[in-house]
Amino acid sequence: MTKKVVLATKNSHKIEEILAILGDIPGIEWLTYREIHFSDVEEVGETLEENAILKATAVARETGLPALAEDTGLEVEALGGAPGVRSARFAGAGKDYRANNEKLLRLLEGVRNRRARFRTVAVLALPDGRTWKAEGVLEGEIAGAPRGEHGFGYDPLFIPEGVGRTLAEMSPEEKNKISHRRRALELMRPILRDLATDPRSSW
Ligand code: ITT
């Protein structure tokens, strides 16, 4: 019997990437907001960890099914780790990717230290309150101007270490091989496999 797991995000770019990375686990049927209703969760946490736990536990409780959430932030060294947990609303509410990128470039005008990293914290929550957490990091630097058409968010400005191209200049397959999201979600794979094969688990 397959086990249903809810993807606790309404960001369609994330859904596409998560399913490309974990969609092949035998015995797991992924449900998105298109197949099952769940309420929006306010991201009031002070850290990526807190927000990922908030999202996963709220959706697991509401749907009565295991739920996987992740929170991702871009941490720029010269900005003391900003935008970090505020990456989605850096230039104000509304998740406008272009405005966020423009603000980032403005703040880094004339700044030599372009070091940055993407950090993803993924959380799997069961309806009984149990949680598992995993983290993935991608080191790199911020480009001088946006480049590339793929991906989303800050991808046109982020050059992974040793790659020489922005994430938006890489194909989805190339990004998914090395990304922060990949690294966090790969650590979740054995836990999801156990969930899929555990005959004692009713979920
Ligand atoms: P959910 O909370 O519903 O999962 P969200 O878009 O609000 O979706 P986050 O709170 O994790 O997601 O926001 C992180 C922001 O960081 C997101 O809006 C993008 O601007 C950016 N971001 C996240 N992952 C990224 C990636 O792989 N590449 C580029 N930018 C990314």
Side-chain angles (χ1 to χ4, degrees), residues 79-161:
L79 302 179
V85 71
R86 291 182 181 76
S87 291
R89 50 208 133 91
F90 191 36
K95 288 184 188 162
D96 180 337
Y97 293 150
R98 183 195 290 248
N100 285 341
N101 284 343
E102 282 169 1
K103 178 170 181 185
L104 181 60
L105 282 180
R106 225 173 23 250
L107 290 176
L108 289 179
E109 244 167 40
V111 176
R112 299 258 304 268
N113 176 8
R114 315 288 292 192
R115 283 193 60 81
R117 60 183 198 160
F118 269 117
R119 197 158 68 87
T120 293
V121 177
V123 169
L124 176 72
L126 297 186
D128 66 7
R130 275 182 290 164
T131 58
W132 291 263
K133 189 182 84 177
E135 180 179 312
V137 169
L138 181 64
E139 300 282 350
E141 57 181 54
I142 303 300
R147 297 199 313 256
E149 301 300 323
H150 297 290
F152 69 103
Y154 299 95
D155 282 347
L157 287 183
F158 189 85
I159 305 171
E161 219 164 55

Side-chain angles (χ1 to χ4, degrees), residues 1-6 22-31 65-66 189 191-199 201-203:
M1 211 185 73
T2 60
K3 301 274 172 69
K4 292 181 163 65
V5 180
V6 182
L22 290 180
D24 62 345
I25 300 177
I28 298 275
E29 180 190 347
W30 293 98
L31 300 180
L65 291 168
R189 186 184 292 275
I191 297 155
L192 288 159
R193 273 214 190 108
D194 284 353
L195 184 74
T197 53
D198 184 355
S201 150
S202 52
W203 291 297

Side-chain angles (χ1 to χ4, degrees), residues 20-86:
I21 294 165
L22 290 180
D24 62 345
I25 300 177
I28 298 275
E29 180 190 347
W30 293 98
L31 300 180
T32 72
Y33 71 93
R34 297 171 197 126
E35 288 85 40
I36 188 165
H37 169 82
F38 55 83
S39 312
D40 288 332
V41 182
E42 237 194 302
E43 297 186 36
V44 293
E46 285 297 314
T47 61
L48 299 176
E49 288 79 357
E50 280 175 36
N51 280 337
I53 289 171
L54 277 175
K55 290 187 271 191
T57 52
V59 172
R61 217 177 300 122
E62 187 177 351
T63 60
L65 291 168
L68 180 76
E70 58 100 312
D71 210 45
T72 295
L74 176 66
E75 300 174 343
V76 180
E77 196 171 272
L79 302 179
V85 71
R86 291 182 181 76

